[in-house]
Amino acid sequence: MKRPLIVLSAVALLSACALGSSDTKAPVAAKKKVIIFVWDGLRPDSVNAANTPNLAALRDSQGVNFSDNHAVFPTFTMMNASAFATGAYPGTHGFYGNTLYQSGPSGKDSAGNTLNFNNPVFTEDYGVLNALNAYYANKLYLVGSLFQAAQAAGLTTAAVGKSGAAFIQDYADYAADTANGTAKGVIFDEKFAFPLAFAKDLQGAGYVLPKLSTVNYGSALALSATNGDPTAATGTAFVNLADGVSKDPRSLQGSPYNTANEYMMDVYLNYILPKKDPDLSLVWFRNPDSTEHNYGPGAPAYLSALSSQDKLLGKLMAQLKALGLQDRTDVIVVSDHGHTTVAGDPAFFPLRGLTGAADGSGAVGAVDPSGYSVSGDTRTADLLTKAGIAHVYDGGGCAYDPVLGGIKADGSKTYPDQVDADGSVCGKVGQKYSTRSYAIPAALPADATVIAANGGSDYVYLPDHDPARLAAIVKALQSRKQYGAVFVASRYGAVPGTLPMTLIRTEGAGTTLRNPDLMVSFDDDENAVTAGNPGLPGTEYESFFNNRGMHGSFGVRDVHNSLFAAGPDFKAGYLDVCPSGNVDVAPTAAAILGLSLPGADGRPLLEALQSAGKNCDAGSVSAGSVASSVVGGLTVLNPSDPAGGSVDAARTSYHFTLSTKVLNAPDGKSYTYFDKAKAVRQ
């Protein structure tokens, strides 16, 4: 670790110059600074004096608690990274991560591997984003970003932290520098440091670099023999059950991501902040989210992640004070989404105890009402295929998911363990699997359906846009209890039991649409608990990912995320009860910095600022809802039998309701926030 480099603030420098001069000109006001600190996946109900004392103090006494904040649906990291970047919904900015399907681009990922865009691609990688940006003629976003506005105004910027999420804030600067060497900001994420001069400056100051840094620069950058892999997860901290693939939520080894985050924060606090003096920073760390995916919200490792994040916040605030920056720096702490425990309906998959030590030898035990989840994973390609839809693919190979694939009350598995005896199923002799491969063939059939499996929601793409097949897919999803709200592209008109994607601002405009044909949220139970999350209620189904925690759904636990802010421009000890959203973060930062964001859909949160006019109070907000039509005559299938042999004869209909809040601002503008969407089968 490097010792802090103490520099004079702008105010101190101006004073020093004044003392040595007879010039009587009025002093120049110090520039404001904004730091957006993203705690990936932070649930608001996880913030308390015991687990996060620094953040609790910021929320309760030092600044503003935005008590009704909303993530953008689908509640994925890259979808909400785009909201932070642009202040806009996907229908406006045109980007659909985390995992999307877009045939046509080419390029290499951050490790130098050739990308295959015949399959859905995971976008948390600068190589994937660069390839998409090039394919879209340097219009990855269809509107300008906060970082672009800041740089155009002559401000300096820094994007730090999680791969993909940090990079996309400043992707246009990277593209411009690649073309003509005109970088205006710095990027320091889990993969590399940008630009090259900045990477070399870090080395000159004694810092090691992310291991993959040389992939981007080739022979222009060399790493020392002792550089290591400072952004890697701590592999020894991962604890599985004896099956070797299912995480043991009882693990006491702590979060595997703490060390990497501490390293990146050290670089930011002790080099970037004093040396590069950014006016606008976004610092994004993957905790607690990645730890929640592994072990679930509420697990001991999750508490370790929270503690580590909170200590980093404490270091940030202390360094601002040490550098004399606290009086002109606003700190916005926000999460991209909430997070939910993965579990299916306990009526079919009762909770179970875990036996043995949490050291890699643990196993699933007997039914225990106070036990852990042994269900929740759902493979959409598999279920649609079993529903009779031909040529369904998700780009994935064989998947082995012996626990969260579903263990029923009698101990049998929803997907029995299988072995590829001759390599004909999975391509590897002896490979264990629960579901077969749904890899996309080189020649895509004309009637293909492609699933981009994302977690708490899935995207469905129909390259031929066949309305009859879409209707059949919708009916199949409505018939399965694992699925919740279904939204379809407007090209299909009014599809029974669905709502249009335009309603939730996830459909683009123009002749070249990037959005999927259908978005479906997995079902959730906002009040259910397990042994892993007794104080953090909520469960949901997910894609077949073998995670104990997930997000992405339209459930209230995923949508309602954290937003707090403190600094000279924010009120202190203020509870903001007005609805807010992740689309409001960039407009608020822009208002503080005096920037314009004409492409934003969100609003500056003026009611929380010291000197601005109010644009929200409790009386200007109304709750509402929109319901889909009711679809009757369905054969509703229980989740315990993928083949469809278990029918719930008491239920034959489906509909869902989208809950909203509408803010009517004094300037005459109206802002709609989406609370949740919940399906009902009767």
Coordinates of all heavy atoms in Angstrom, one line a residue, residues 5 7 31 33 155-158 184-187 194-202 267-281:
L5 N -0.8 10.7 -0.4 CA -0.1 11.9 -0.9 C -0.9 13.1 -0.7 O -2.0 13.3 -1.2 CB 0.1 11.7 -2.5 CG 0.9 10.5 -2.9 CD1 0.9 10.3 -4.4 CD2 2.3 10.6 -2.4
V7 N -2.1 16.8 -0.8 CA -1.9 18.0 -1.7 C -2.8 19.1 -1.1 O -3.8 18.9 -0.4 CB -2.3 17.6 -3.1 CG1 -1.5 16.5 -3.7 CG2 -3.8 17.2 -3.2
K31 N -13.7 24.6 -7.4 CA -14.6 23.8 -8.1 C -15.3 22.7 -7.2 O -14.6 22.2 -6.4 CB -13.9 23.1 -9.3 CG -13.5 24.1 -10.4 CD -13.1 23.3 -11.7 CE -11.9 22.4 -11.4 NZ -11.5 21.8 -12.7
K33 N -16.8 19.0 -6.5 CA -16.5 17.7 -6.9 C -17.7 16.7 -6.5 O -18.4 17.0 -5.5 CB -15.3 17.2 -6.2 CG -14.0 17.9 -6.7 CD -12.8 17.3 -5.9 CE -11.5 17.9 -6.4 NZ -11.1 17.5 -7.8
L155 N -14.0 19.4 -17.3 CA -13.8 18.7 -16.0 C -13.0 17.4 -16.2 O -13.1 16.8 -17.3 CB -15.2 18.4 -15.4 CG -16.1 19.6 -15.1 CD1 -17.4 19.2 -14.4 CD2 -15.4 20.7 -14.4
T156 N -12.3 17.0 -15.2 CA -11.6 15.8 -15.2 C -12.4 14.7 -14.5 O -13.2 14.9 -13.6 CB -10.3 15.9 -14.4 OG1 -10.6 16.4 -13.1 CG2 -9.4 16.9 -15.1
T157 N -12.2 13.4 -15.0 CA -13.1 12.3 -14.6 C -12.3 11.1 -14.2 O -11.1 10.9 -14.7 CB -14.1 11.9 -15.7 OG1 -13.4 11.5 -16.8 CG2 -15.0 13.1 -16.1
A158 N -12.8 10.2 -13.4 CA -12.2 9.0 -13.1 C -13.3 7.9 -12.9 O -14.3 8.2 -12.2 CB -11.4 9.1 -11.8
K184 N -9.5 12.0 -22.0 CA -9.8 13.1 -21.1 C -10.1 12.7 -19.7 O -10.2 13.5 -18.8 CB -11.0 13.9 -21.7 CG -10.8 14.5 -23.0 CD -12.1 15.2 -23.5 CE -11.9 15.9 -24.9 NZ -13.1 16.5 -25.4
G185 N -10.1 11.4 -19.5 CA -10.3 10.9 -18.1 C -9.5 9.7 -17.9 O -8.7 9.3 -18.8
V186 N -9.6 9.1 -16.7 CA -8.8 7.9 -16.4 C -9.9 6.8 -16.0 O -10.9 7.1 -15.5 CB -7.8 8.0 -15.3 CG1 -6.7 9.0 -15.7 CG2 -8.5 8.4 -14.0
I187 N -9.5 5.6 -16.4 CA -10.3 4.4 -16.0 C -9.4 3.4 -15.3 O -8.3 3.1 -15.8 CB -10.9 3.7 -17.3 CG1 -11.8 4.7 -18.1 CG2 -11.7 2.5 -16.8 CD1 -12.3 4.1 -19.4
F194 N -6.3 2.9 -17.8 CA -6.4 3.6 -19.0 C -6.3 5.1 -18.7 O -6.9 5.6 -17.7 CB -7.7 3.3 -19.7 CG -8.1 4.3 -20.8 CD1 -7.6 4.2 -22.1 CD2 -9.0 5.4 -20.5 CE1 -7.9 5.1 -23.1 CE2 -9.3 6.3 -21.5 CZ -8.8 6.1 -22.8
P195 N -5.6 5.9 -19.5 CA -4.8 5.5 -20.7 C -3.5 4.9 -20.4 O -3.1 4.8 -19.2 CB -4.7 6.8 -21.5 CG -4.7 7.9 -20.4 CD -5.6 7.4 -19.4
L196 N -2.7 4.6 -21.4 CA -1.4 4.0 -21.2 C -0.5 4.8 -20.3 O 0.2 4.3 -19.4 CB -0.7 3.8 -22.6 CG 0.7 3.2 -22.5 CD1 0.7 1.8 -21.8 CD2 1.3 3.0 -23.9
A197 N -0.5 6.2 -20.5 CA 0.4 7.0 -19.7 C 0.0 6.9 -18.2 O 0.9 6.9 -17.3 CB 0.3 8.5 -20.2
F198 N -1.3 6.8 -17.9 CA -1.8 6.6 -16.6 C -1.3 5.3 -16.0 O -0.8 5.2 -14.8 CB -3.3 6.7 -16.5 CG -3.9 6.3 -15.2 CD1 -3.6 6.9 -14.0 CD2 -4.9 5.3 -15.2 CE1 -4.2 6.6 -12.8 CE2 -5.5 4.9 -14.0 CZ -5.1 5.6 -12.8
A199 N -1.4 4.2 -16.8 CA -0.9 2.9 -16.3 C 0.6 3.0 -16.0 O 1.0 2.5 -14.9 CB -1.1 1.9 -17.4
K200 N 1.4 3.7 -16.8 CA 2.8 3.8 -16.5 C 3.1 4.7 -15.3 O 4.0 4.4 -14.6 CB 3.5 4.3 -17.8 CG 3.5 3.3 -18.9 CD 4.4 3.7 -20.1 CE 4.5 2.7 -21.2 NZ 5.3 3.1 -22.3
D201 N 2.3 5.7 -15.2 CA 2.5 6.6 -14.0 C 2.2 5.8 -12.7 O 2.9 5.9 -11.7 CB 1.5 7.7 -14.1 CG 1.9 8.8 -15.1 OD1 3.1 8.7 -15.5 OD2 1.1 9.6 -15.4
L202 N 1.2 4.9 -12.7 CA 0.9 4.1 -11.6 C 2.1 3.2 -11.3 O 2.5 3.0 -10.1 CB -0.3 3.2 -11.8 CG -1.7 3.9 -11.7 CD1 -2.8 3.0 -12.0 CD2 -1.9 4.5 -10.2
V267 N -5.7 2.6 -4.6 CA -5.2 3.4 -5.8 C -6.0 4.6 -6.0 O -5.4 5.7 -6.3 CB -5.3 2.5 -7.1 CG1 -5.0 3.3 -8.3 CG2 -4.3 1.3 -6.9
Y268 N -7.3 4.6 -5.8 CA -8.1 5.8 -6.0 C -7.8 6.8 -4.9 O -7.6 8.0 -5.3 CB -9.6 5.4 -5.9 CG -10.5 6.6 -6.0 CD1 -10.6 7.3 -7.2 CD2 -11.2 7.1 -4.9 CE1 -11.4 8.5 -7.3 CE2 -12.0 8.2 -4.9 CZ -12.1 8.9 -6.1 OH -12.8 10.1 -6.2
L269 N -7.8 6.4 -3.7 CA -7.6 7.4 -2.6 C -6.2 8.0 -2.6 O -6.1 9.2 -2.3 CB -7.9 6.8 -1.3 CG -9.4 6.3 -1.0 CD1 -9.5 5.7 0.4 CD2 -10.3 7.5 -1.2
N270 N -5.2 7.2 -2.8 CA -3.9 7.6 -2.6 C -3.1 8.0 -3.8 O -2.0 8.5 -3.8 CB -3.1 6.6 -1.8 CG -3.7 6.4 -0.4 OD1 -4.1 7.4 0.2 ND2 -3.8 5.2 0.0
Y271 N -3.7 7.8 -5.0 CA -3.1 8.2 -6.2 C -4.0 9.0 -7.1 O -3.8 10.2 -7.4 CB -2.5 7.1 -7.0 CG -1.7 7.6 -8.2 CD1 -0.3 7.8 -8.0 CD2 -2.2 7.8 -9.5 CE1 0.5 8.4 -9.1 CE2 -1.5 8.3 -10.5 CZ -0.2 8.6 -10.3 OH 0.6 9.1 -11.4
I272 N -5.1 8.5 -7.5 CA -6.0 9.1 -8.4 C -6.6 10.4 -7.8 O -6.6 11.5 -8.5 CB -7.2 8.2 -8.9 CG1 -6.6 7.0 -9.7 CG2 -8.2 9.0 -9.7 CD1 -7.6 6.0 -10.0
L273 N -7.1 10.3 -6.6 CA -7.7 11.5 -6.0 C -6.7 12.7 -5.8 O -7.0 13.8 -6.2 CB -8.4 11.1 -4.7 CG -9.4 12.1 -4.1 CD1 -10.5 12.4 -5.0 CD2 -9.9 11.5 -2.7
P274 N -5.6 12.5 -5.2 CA -4.7 13.6 -5.1 C -3.9 14.0 -6.3 O -3.6 15.1 -6.6 CB -3.7 13.1 -4.0 CG -3.7 11.6 -4.1 CD -5.1 11.2 -4.5
K275 N -3.6 13.0 -7.2 CA -2.7 13.3 -8.3 C -3.5 13.7 -9.6 O -3.1 14.6 -10.3 CB -1.9 12.0 -8.7 CG -0.7 11.8 -7.7 CD 0.4 12.8 -7.8 CE 1.6 12.4 -7.0 NZ 2.7 13.5 -7.1
K276 N -4.6 13.0 -9.8 CA -5.4 13.3 -11.0 C -6.5 14.4 -10.7 O -7.1 15.0 -11.6 CB -6.0 12.1 -11.6 CG -5.0 11.1 -12.1 CD -4.1 11.7 -13.2 CE -3.1 10.7 -13.7 NZ -2.2 11.2 -14.7
D277 N -6.8 14.5 -9.4 CA -7.8 15.5 -9.0 C -9.1 15.5 -9.8 O -9.5 16.6 -10.3 CB -7.1 16.9 -9.1 CG -7.9 18.0 -8.3 OD1 -8.6 17.7 -7.3 OD2 -7.8 19.2 -8.8
P278 N -9.8 14.4 -9.9 CA -11.0 14.4 -10.7 C -12.1 15.2 -10.1 O -12.3 15.2 -8.9 CB -11.3 12.9 -10.7 CG -10.7 12.3 -9.4 CD -9.5 13.1 -9.2
D279 N -12.8 15.9 -11.0 CA -14.0 16.6 -10.6 C -15.2 15.7 -10.5 O -16.1 15.9 -9.6 CB -14.3 17.7 -11.6 CG -13.2 18.7 -11.8 OD1 -12.8 19.4 -10.9 OD2 -12.6 18.7 -13.0
L280 N -15.2 14.7 -11.2 CA -16.3 13.7 -11.2 C -15.7 12.3 -11.2 O -14.9 11.9 -12.0 CB -17.2 13.8 -12.5 CG -18.2 12.7 -12.7 CD1 -19.3 12.7 -11.6 CD2 -18.9 12.8 -14.1
S281 N -16.1 11.5 -10.2 CA -15.6 10.1 -10.0 C -16.8 9.2 -9.9 O -17.8 9.5 -9.2 CB -14.7 10.0 -8.8 OG -13.6 10.8 -8.8

